[in-house]
């Protein structure tokens, strides 16, 4: 350690320097860094020592999380011993986990009205006006001892944590459950999360609902797509078959709106490289790291400045690119309460979407622009386009 530029001096230079350079180092702007530092110091126990400032403790933590640098490299960068760097990284993680308890929740009043992302978009309003978010699972790398690896091996043959999360339409996590084995089924994790009050799952108020995929149960407050029907947006983008029938119309809208959870996972994993190759910390610490990065994700997104290039790239409802969530095959059997109620609601929304077809332009789905041409057929005699007529009613569309 011979550098004259100590970690705090290097940090000070970055704080006074170009915003892009600072963002590349710590995955946030200088303004957000200062506000985060103040919050952690005042409310969540972040502190330094006689030789190290609290801002340097936070910088060490962010540096390791964003670049997945080993403690040895972080100690060289900040000019501390490996023992000191490791200790401060742990201090920073503990403070961020405390922050997670207050930021990985729905914003106050969010369930009381229609989210603006729906209210201001004719693709979803008024059909999904009572939707409050989306739920899905994703996998992050887990470093597990060989003797314990089997239950953690996911579909791709690597050891993972299966993370269940809910998000709002502002791309903020409103719930997260960490630590489940990679082989655990999404529906099993879901049932644990919603049934035990200690997990503090934000249950939908009466009349509101989350969007879920086929791996989750259809029950009161949770709407899944029609089974045995095209669903994922890339499925609509492949081939030349138009979107036909009530079920496909509904599934395309459901999938497009639910893509917010996949975009949220995408931004989160892009920012924090440590999630892609978890170091050999204890599994308890690995779970805390996941929560810490989710807390950072929400703090950045909800900051009043609203300036972040990673979020900006994903703000538009995407349709062609999906995050690899290691989807499980098959569907979940619907046995919980409220099944008939949610089937009726799904049918009603599908009928409304169908009835609005005359004015509803499928080209409003960015990745499905090709459907604008595919939804009409050309008369070979006259050269005129005639619209393709999908199924006429729910019963016919469902094969009844």
């Amino acid at each position: 350690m011979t550098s004259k530029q100590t970690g705090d001096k290097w940090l000070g230079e970055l704080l006074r320097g170009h915003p892009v350079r600072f963002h590349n180092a710590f995955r946030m702007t200088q303004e957000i860094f200062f506000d985060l530092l103040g919050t952690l110091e005042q409310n969540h126990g972040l502190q330094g020592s006689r030789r190290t400032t609290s801002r340097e403790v936070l910088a060490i933590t962010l540096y390791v999380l964003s670049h997945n640098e080993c403690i040895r490299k972080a100690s060289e960068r900040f000019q501390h011993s490996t023992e000191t760097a490791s200790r401060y990284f742990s201090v920073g993680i503990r403070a961020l986990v405390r922050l997670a308890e207050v930021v990985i929740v729905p914003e106050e009043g969010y369930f009381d009205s229609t989210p603006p992302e729906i209210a201001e978009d004719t693709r979803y309003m008024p059909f999904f006006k009572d939707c409050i978010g989306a739920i899905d699972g994703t996998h992050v790398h887990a470093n597990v001892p060989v003797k314990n690896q089997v239950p953690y091996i996911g579909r791709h043959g690597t050891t993972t944590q299966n993370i269940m999360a809910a998000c709002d339409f502002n791309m903020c996590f409103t719930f997260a459950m960490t630590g489940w084995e990679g082989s655990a089924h999404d529906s099993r994790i879901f049932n644990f999360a919603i049934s035990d009050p200690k997990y503090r799952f934000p249950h939908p108020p009466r009349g509101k609902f989350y969007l879920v995929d086929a791996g989750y149960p259809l029950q009161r407050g949770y709407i899944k797509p029609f089974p045995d029907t095209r669903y994922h947006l890339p499925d609509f983008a492949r081939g030349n078959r138009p979107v036909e029938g009530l079920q496909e119309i509904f599934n395309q809208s459901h999938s497009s709106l639910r893509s917010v959870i996949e975009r949220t996972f995408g931004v989160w994993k892009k920012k924090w490289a440590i999630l892609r190759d978890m170091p050999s910390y204890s599994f308890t610490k690995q779970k805390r790291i996941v929560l810490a990065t989710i807390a950072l994700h929400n703090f950045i997104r909800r900051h009043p400045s609203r300036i972040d290039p990673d979020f900006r790239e994903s703000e538009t409802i995407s349709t062609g690119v999906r995050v690899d969530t290691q989807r499980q095959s098959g569907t979940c059997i619907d046995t919980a309460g409220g099944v008939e109620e949610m089937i009726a609601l799904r049918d009603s929304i599908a009928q409304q979407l169908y009835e609005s077809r005359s004015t509803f332009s499928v080209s409003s789905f960015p990745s499905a622009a090709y459907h604008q041409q595919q939804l009409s057929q050309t008369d070979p005699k006259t050269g005129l386009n005639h619209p393709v007529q999908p199924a006429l009613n729910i019963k016919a569309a469902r094969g009844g």
Side-chain angles (χ1 to χ4, degrees):
M1 296 185 181
T2 59
S3 175
K4 294 182 179 180
Q5 190 179 42
T6 65
D8 195 62
K9 288 183 178 179
W10 176 67
L11 175 59
E13 177 186 308
L14 290 177
L15 286 168
R16 296 187 297 271
H18 197 280
V20 172
R21 187 182 175 203
F22 188 89
H23 186 276
N24 290 340
F26 302 113
R27 312 309 300 167
M28 63 183 65
T29 65
Q30 290 101 321
E31 181 183 0
I32 294 176
F33 179 89
F34 279 122
D35 288 348
L36 175 62
L37 177 63
T39 298
L40 294 178
E41 287 177 328
Q42 295 171 21
N43 304 320
H44 305 294
L46 182 71
Q47 57 184 351
S49 66
R50 289 183 300 173
R51 297 183 178 181
T52 306
T53 62
S54 56
R55 75 176 189 178
E56 189 177 359
V57 173
L58 177 57
I60 290 171
T61 306
L62 296 175
Y63 186 77
V64 174
L65 294 176
S66 59
H67 300 282
N68 197 17
E69 293 287 10
C70 64
I71 293 298
R72 179 180 58 81
K73 290 187 177 180
S75 66
E76 176 64 24
R77 171 66 274 178
F78 287 89
Q79 295 291 285
H80 291 296
S81 68
T82 55
E83 188 277 331
T84 299
S86 178
R87 184 172 69 253
Y88 287 145
F89 177 64
S90 296
V91 169
I93 291 296
R94 284 196 296 270
L96 289 171
V97 169
R98 295 189 191 102
L99 174 68
E101 295 178 3
V102 297
V103 298
I104 308 178
V105 294
E107 291 191 277
E108 185 176 356
Y110 182 77
F111 290 171
D112 297 339
S113 59
T114 300
E117 294 82 4
I118 293 177
E120 299 170 8
D121 195 326
T122 55
R123 289 176 293 177
Y124 311 118
M125 187 69 184
F127 321 108
F128 295 94
K129 60 183 176 60
D130 294 318
C131 185
I132 57 175
I135 296 173
D136 204 356
T138 191
H139 291 246
V140 299
H141 179 254
N143 202 314
V144 183
V146 175
K147 64 179 181 179
N148 299 329
Q149 284 185 357
V150 172
Y152 290 89
I153 297 176
R155 290 180 60 192
H156 295 316
T158 58
T159 52
T160 64
Q161 289 186 58
N162 190 347
I163 312 298
M164 175 195 152
C167 78
D168 60 25
F169 293 103
N170 187 35
M171 298 175 64
C172 287
F173 292 100
T174 56
F175 177 80
M177 176 171 278
T178 67
W180 279 80
E181 304 92 336
S183 62
H185 196 280
D186 288 345
S187 61
R188 181 185 174 202
I189 305 172
F190 172 80
N191 286 328
F192 266 86
I194 68 171
S195 61
D196 195 327
K198 74 179 182 182
Y199 298 124
R200 300 191 302 167
F201 180 81
H203 294 277
R206 187 77 177 185
K208 302 287 186 175
F209 59 87
Y210 287 100
L211 300 179
V212 298
D213 69 12
Y216 294 88
L218 180 68
Q219 62 186 65
R220 184 176 293 112
Y222 307 90
I223 288 187
K224 62 195 289 185
F226 285 101
D228 304 318
T229 305
R230 280 192 297 177
Y231 176 65
H232 295 297
L233 291 167
D235 297 337
F236 291 103
R238 286 191 290 266
N240 57 6
R241 185 163 67 86
V243 181
E244 294 181 319
L246 292 161
Q247 293 187 359
E248 285 198 351
I249 292 171
F250 175 86
N251 279 10
Q252 187 189 44
S253 297
H254 185 289
S255 183
S256 175
L257 186 56
R258 201 187 67 85
S259 72
V260 67
I261 186 71
E262 295 171 349
R263 291 182 288 118
T264 303
F265 284 145
V267 175
W268 171 54
K269 290 183 176 182
K270 178 180 179 180
K271 272 190 175 295
W272 312 110
I274 197 168
L275 300 171
R276 302 191 290 270
D277 185 17
M278 189 71 70
S280 56
Y281 299 119
S282 69
F283 194 66
T284 297
K285 190 167 186 175
Q286 292 179 50
K287 292 191 293 182
R288 289 174 179 168
I289 286 171
V290 171
L291 283 176
T293 56
I294 293 176
L296 287 167
H297 174 102
N298 279 12
F299 191 91
I300 293 169
R301 181 58 170 170
R302 290 173 176 168
H303 192 269
S305 66
R306 301 284 291 185
I307 299 175
D308 188 90
D310 297 326
F311 280 104
R312 191 180 303 121
E313 290 178 5
S314 299
E315 281 179 346
T316 302
I317 289 186
S318 102
T319 52
V321 179
R322 290 195 289 128
V323 176
D324 179 9
T325 54
Q326 296 196 3
R327 299 188 181 279
Q328 295 154 327
S329 59
T331 59
C332 179
I333 299 175
D334 304 320
T335 59
V339 173
E340 293 302 320
E341 176 186 334
M342 300 317 288
I343 288 177
L345 178 58
R346 182 174 64 187
D347 289 350
S348 175
I349 293 174
Q351 185 69 50
Q352 293 175 53
L353 285 166
Y354 173 74
E355 291 173 354
S356 71
R357 192 69 174 200
S358 59
T359 57
F360 180 74
S361 173
V362 178
S363 63
S364 62
F365 292 94
S367 74
Y370 79 100
H371 287 305
Q372 192 172 21
Q373 295 179 349
Q374 297 297 332
L375 281 173
S376 62
Q377 293 179 341
T378 302
D379 187 321
K381 295 182 179 179
T382 65
L384 299 177
N385 289 333
H386 301 285
V388 174
Q389 294 298 324
L392 295 179
N393 55 51
I394 286 284
K395 184 176 180 182
R398 295 176 61 185

